[in-house]
Amino acid sequence: MEKKLDKRGELLHTLALLVCAAIWGSAFVAQSVGAEYVGAFTFLAVRNWIAVAFLIPVIFVRDTILKKRGRPSVRPANRTQRRFLLMGGAACGFFLCAASAFQQVGIRYTTTAKAGFITALYVVIVPILSVFFGKSVKSRIWMCVALAVLGLYLLCMRGELSLSFGDGVVLVCAFLFACQIMTVDYFAPQVDTVRLSQTQFLVTALLSTVCMLLFEDLSTDSLIRALPSIAYAGVMSSGVAYTLQIIGQQNLNPAIASITMSLESVFAALAGWIVLGQSMTVRELAGCVLMFAAIILAQL
């Protein structure tokens, strides 16, 4: 049953999503390296199988601790609950797999900067979908959305904003990511969040494995070269970050959640600056400041 978060709970959930965005942003380096050796579906498939395996001991240890402390079990208690968990995992996994695939295809036909900006436009699509599904979005949140989009533009864009074929494909990806966020918003308050995350990874892994076998050639040597990058993405970007997304979104306004998660662009730029020594212009720094300001205003 969905319950309303108090201010402290809302802040804690937002901080969980902030950590999630930081991990996603830092993982761009690993994804770029891995993409040099294997195809998109291969990377996606292996990454999600690793995430599924990673959460097995996590779920076991968590259930054992709850049992020893005499706290209520979070396991699905009956067939109806198991079916609802499978439905949620299937829906989240489908949107996650489809969004990732569209992003990978689109980025071949457009610049990385434009792809990053257009993907993060889910920050606009989510509140629109929220209104469509009967959720209220305060005027303050719309102002924060506008501030975040302006910050994204300053951070990511260099040339003119025209819509090419690749841009259109990435825009579909942004819509699919928004659908994934809204699906998580619906299912997370009603099921065990960690099991929902694992089921999402399992569905994504199965779908991407089928696509990998149909559309890509798998080379053992290339896979071994890409494995360190895939392992990092599987454990941190998927296993940890996407699980934090589901936990953080539980009973949190999806519009606030989408603004927070869009900060992955900021963390990606900061990771490039710190790890790879890439310089940041005054314009990019201004974009980062505006996006952080949007998060702070959303919490006031």
Side-chain angles (χ1 to χ4, degrees):
M1 194 74 179
E2 185 170 342
K3 61 180 181 179
K4 187 175 177 61
L5 289 173
D6 57 19
K7 276 295 176 184
R8 181 174 178 275
E10 185 176 307
L11 180 60
L12 289 174
H13 282 231
T14 303
L15 287 174
L17 294 178
L18 195 63
V19 175
C20 163
I23 295 172
W24 282 341
S26 64
F28 270 109
V29 177
Q31 288 177 256
S32 299
V33 173
E36 295 177 5
Y37 300 107
V38 295
F41 288 116
T42 301
F43 190 97
L44 194 60
V46 180
R47 164 185 175 170
N48 280 278
W49 284 120
I50 290 173
V52 170
F54 170 75
L55 286 183
I56 291 174
V58 172
I59 291 173
F60 175 77
V61 171
R62 191 271 313 265
D63 287 354
T64 303
I65 292 172
L66 289 177
K67 186 177 181 180
K68 285 183 177 179
R69 292 180 177 177
R71 296 177 63 179
S73 173
V74 290
R75 294 172 179 266
N78 51 54
R79 183 179 295 180
T80 301
Q81 290 182 4
R82 287 192 292 271
R83 187 180 301 164
F84 194 74
L85 175 64
L86 288 173
M87 285 173 54
C92 292
F94 169 78
F95 285 124
L96 178 60
C97 183
S100 301
F102 269 90
Q103 184 184 52
Q104 194 62 36
V105 172
I107 207 169
R108 294 179 183 176
Y109 302 98
T110 187
T111 64
T112 305
K114 286 181 77 174
F117 173 70
I118 296 171
T119 297
L121 286 180
Y122 63 71
V123 76
V124 178
I125 300 171
V126 165
I128 294 173
L129 290 177
S130 297
V131 172
F132 182 78
F133 287 109
K135 289 181 175 287
S136 61
V137 180
K138 297 178 181 178
S139 56
R140 170 174 59 92
I141 301 301
W142 286 112
M143 183 182 71
C144 293
V145 167
L147 204 59
V149 172
L150 178 58
L152 278 167
Y153 182 83
L154 293 175
L155 179 64
C156 300
M157 296 301 298
R158 298 292 178 276
E160 61 178 275
L161 185 59
S162 56
L163 198 66
S164 66
F165 168 75
D167 299 335
V169 174
V170 179
L171 190 59
V172 175
C173 146
F175 177 78
L176 290 168
F177 272 126
C179 290
Q180 190 263 356
I181 291 170
M182 293 303 299
T183 306
V184 168
D185 177 68
Y186 177 76
F187 284 100
Q190 306 175 67
V191 297
D192 173 24
T193 52
V194 184
R195 282 185 170 84
L196 177 63
S197 183
Q198 187 186 48
T199 309
Q200 171 184 246
F201 298 145
L202 179 60
V203 172
T204 304
L206 289 170
L207 291 173
S208 51
T209 299
V210 171
C211 293
M212 174 189 74
L213 295 173
L214 289 174
F215 304 118
E216 295 177 355
D217 295 323
L218 182 60
S219 165
T220 305
D221 182 61
S222 297
L223 184 59
I224 291 173
R225 290 173 181 271
L227 199 54
S229 300
I230 299 175
Y232 179 82
V235 173
M236 295 302 297
S237 187
S238 290
V240 176
Y242 274 110
T243 303
L244 280 176
Q245 179 208 355
I246 291 176
I247 294 172
Q249 268 196 249
Q250 196 175 26
N251 300 316
L252 185 68
N253 186 313
I256 294 177
S258 66
I259 295 172
T260 309
M261 289 186 287
S262 71
L263 282 175
E264 71 172 288
S265 299
V266 173
F267 288 113
L270 292 175
W273 175 42
I274 295 169
V275 179
L276 302 178
Q278 298 171 345
S279 61
M280 292 187 69
T281 65
V282 174
R283 174 190 171 117
E284 290 170 333
L285 288 171
C288 294
V289 169
L290 285 176
M291 292 187 70
F292 275 115
I295 296 300
I296 293 169
L297 287 173
Q299 289 299 316
L300 290 178

